[in-house]
Amino acid sequence: MNLSTFRRSFLGLKHLCLVLVASLLLSGCVDYQVGVNFDHANSGELVQHIKLGERFSSFGGDPIYEWLNSIEQRARQEGGKVRRLSKDEIIVTIPFNNSQVLQKKFNTFFHPNTNPKAESVSELPKIESNMLLYQNNFLLLVRNRLIYDLDLRSLGLISSQGNVLANAGSILDLEFSLKTPWGARNIQKTENAPQVQRNKNQLVWKLNPGELNHIEAVYWLPSPMGIGTLLIVVFVTAGFYLRYRFMPDPRIKFASNSAATVGQ
């Protein structure tokens, strides 16, 4: 083996060692959780919890913090609240009062071109996200079908200045959750669909970096309009029943008074 061949072999081995070390050091250092929580019928909060590890923050540099700042701005534009637990951890909550508002706020908040003026944010991988909600009314209940597509193929590899450091699956912990009063049912359409776990009335999907994630779920919610109509019918029926069951008919009383007057 000549000196040139030995040098190339050594550099290749050195690069492989750097990849392995980076994968170990950065393992599990980004927690990204997005949840849709229905606290009451057709109302709730969109919650986003992001926690960056110290090593990943140093690795990501300024674009990471510009991204966090843009999340804060977008959340406030949608009427949400932001809790900055630390420099590397934030919790965003955005309220909604019906499914249509949820769909609009969710897609607006996660649209990749929301903040095109932030040049440093544009350096981050582009992620396509879209949520659709379909509803069918059944008198007192509403059947909801949620479809969520999240394209994470741009996160197949994490790199810095063109140098691949680690597989994204080893450093990103991504989750999407859905919590409803009566629980939800997962519909698996593809073989490589995200893994899902149930925690009482909550479904939690483990998202796959580097892949196109497709999520479908069906859940039922009470219909405020249907329940309101039923209550009106019950009150009206009860009023008529009480009126004619326990109160005398004024026509009978008038006839009795007329007969007494004639008799006198």
Side-chain angles (χ1 to χ4, degrees):
M1 179 181 295
N2 56 34
L3 181 61
S4 176
T5 303
F6 175 78
R7 182 177 299 173
R8 287 197 300 269
S9 301
F10 176 77
L11 291 177
L13 179 62
K14 181 179 179 181
H15 182 265
L16 177 61
C17 291
L18 288 176
V19 171
L20 294 177
V21 171
S23 300
L24 293 175
L25 291 180
L26 296 175
S27 178
C29 60
V30 178
D31 292 325
Y32 189 103
Q33 301 171 358
V34 178
V36 176
N37 302 329
F38 283 88
D39 299 327
H40 305 287
N42 299 303
S43 65
E45 291 181 333
L46 166 63
V47 181
Q48 185 180 34
H49 184 189
I50 303 174
K51 183 178 181 180
L52 306 178
E54 181 179 354
R55 292 188 181 92
F56 185 83
S57 302
S58 302
F59 164 70
D62 293 337
I64 294 295
Y65 293 108
E66 290 290 342
W67 173 60
L68 292 180
N69 293 335
S70 70
I71 289 177
E72 291 189 35
Q73 296 174 3
R74 284 180 282 158
R76 293 191 174 94
Q77 290 175 357
E78 297 298 327
K81 298 180 181 179
V82 179
R83 284 193 296 160
R84 196 76 182 246
L85 303 182
S86 67
K87 182 181 179 182
D88 304 318
E89 184 176 5
I90 64 172
I91 296 178
V92 173
T93 57
I94 301 176
F96 59 86
N97 52 22
N98 58 61
S99 296
Q100 288 76 18
V101 173
L102 166 62
Q103 176 178 311
K104 180 178 180 298
K105 287 191 174 184
F106 191 98
N107 291 330
T108 301
F109 180 76
F110 287 102
H111 197 279
N113 297 322
T114 301
N115 190 13
K117 295 182 180 180
E119 297 180 359
S120 57
V121 176
S122 64
E123 298 176 6
L124 297 176
K126 297 298 183 181
I127 297 175
E128 296 292 337
S129 171
N130 186 54
M131 174 184 286
L132 296 174
L133 282 167
Y134 300 96
Q135 291 185 316
N136 299 103
N137 291 286
F138 294 89
L139 296 179
L140 303 180
L141 299 175
V142 178
R143 182 181 184 271
N144 295 265
R145 182 185 178 191
L146 181 147
I147 301 176
Y148 181 38
D149 287 305
L150 182 63
D151 190 351
L152 298 178
R153 287 175 292 187
S154 61
L155 297 181
L157 293 173
I158 297 297
S159 62
S160 177
Q161 297 179 353
N163 298 320
V164 175
L165 294 184
N167 188 298
S170 65
I171 68 175
L172 300 178
D173 186 9
L174 310 177
E175 292 182 351
F176 174 78
S177 64
L178 173 64
K179 183 179 180 181
T180 62
W182 300 332
R185 178 171 58 91
N186 177 53
I187 302 177
Q188 184 171 337
K189 292 291 187 179
T190 58
E191 295 182 358
N192 59 342
Q195 296 181 357
V196 60
Q197 294 182 346
R198 180 179 296 277
N199 183 15
K200 295 183 180 180
N201 294 336
Q202 184 180 46
L203 291 179
V204 181
W205 287 268
K206 183 80 171 180
L207 302 176
N208 302 317
E211 298 181 10
L212 177 60
N213 294 262
H214 180 81
I215 293 174
E216 288 194 37
V218 172
Y219 57 95
W220 294 80
L221 293 173
S223 172
M225 182 176 298
I227 294 176
T229 302
L230 177 63
L231 291 176
I232 292 175
V233 172
V234 170
F235 282 130
V236 171
T237 303
F240 276 105
Y241 174 79
L242 295 175
R243 168 68 179 81
Y244 291 103
R245 178 66 177 81
F246 298 102
M247 297 180 64
D249 191 337
R251 293 174 297 179
I252 298 177
K253 184 177 180 181
F254 176 77
S256 300
N257 293 336
S258 299
T261 303
V262 172
Q264 292 176 357

